[in-house]
C-alpha cells in the first residue's frame, strides 16, 4: 500500500546510476509487515535505518542526520519521501528536499513525478 512498490521501482535506476538510496522507517512492525515480504531491501537500498534499532523516531532531527551520515550524503543533495506530513516537515527542517505522498493513487503518481523532477 501507499505506493511503496511504485517508489521501490524508482530506486533501482537511481542506484544503477550511482546514487545512494536509503530507507528510514519508524517501527519494526510496519517495516516487517509492509516491506520485507514484497521488496528485496538489499537490491533497493544502500542502508536501512529502523527506528526500533537506533532508538530514534521521525521526525526527530537526529534520525535524519543519522540516515545521512550512514549513507554518506549531504542533506541538500537528498530527496526524502514520506506519507506523513510531520516527517516531511522534519526532513525539510534538517535541510533535505522532501516530497509528501498523499493517500490517493493519483497522489502517488504526483509524488513520483515530483521526486523524478528533483532527481533530473
Amino acid at each position: 500500500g501507499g505506493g511503496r512498490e511504485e517508489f521501490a521501482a524508482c530506486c533501482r535506476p537511481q542506484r544503477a546510476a550511482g546514487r545512494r538510496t536509503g530507507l528510514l522507517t519508524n517501527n519494526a512492525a510496519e517495516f516487517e509487515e509492509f516491506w520485507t515480504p514484497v521488496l528485496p531491501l538489499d537490491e533497493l537500498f544502500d542502508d536501512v535505518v529502523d527506528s526500533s534499532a537506533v532508538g530514534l523516531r521521525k521526525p526527530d532531527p537526529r534520525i535524519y542526520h543519522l540516515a545521512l551520515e550512514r549513507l554518506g550524503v549531504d542533506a541538500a543533495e537528498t530527496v526524502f519521501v514520506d506519507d506523513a506530513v510531520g516527517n516531511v516537515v522534519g526532513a525539510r527542517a534538517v535541510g533535505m528536499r522532501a516530497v509528501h505522498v498523499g493517500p490517493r493513487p493519483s497522489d502517488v503518481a504526483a509524488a513520483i513525478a515530483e521526486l523524478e523532477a528533483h532527481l533530473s
Side-chain angles (χ1 to χ4, degrees), residues 40-104:
L41 296 179
D42 55 345
E43 283 180 30
L44 297 171
F45 303 107
D46 294 295
D47 186 51
V48 175
V49 175
D50 181 343
S51 67
S52 65
V54 300
L56 299 166
R57 292 176 63 81
K58 298 176 288 186
D60 185 326
R62 295 172 296 174
I63 200 166
Y64 300 100
H65 288 296
L66 176 65
L68 291 166
E69 181 183 316
R70 283 171 44 163
L71 278 175
V73 296
D74 293 328
E77 303 174 326
T78 303
V79 186
F80 174 84
V81 178
D82 204 296
D83 61 358
V85 173
N87 296 340
V88 169
V89 171
R92 289 180 179 149
V94 301
M96 294 175 164
R97 291 171 289 168
V99 174
H100 176 249
V101 186
R104 299 181 309 252

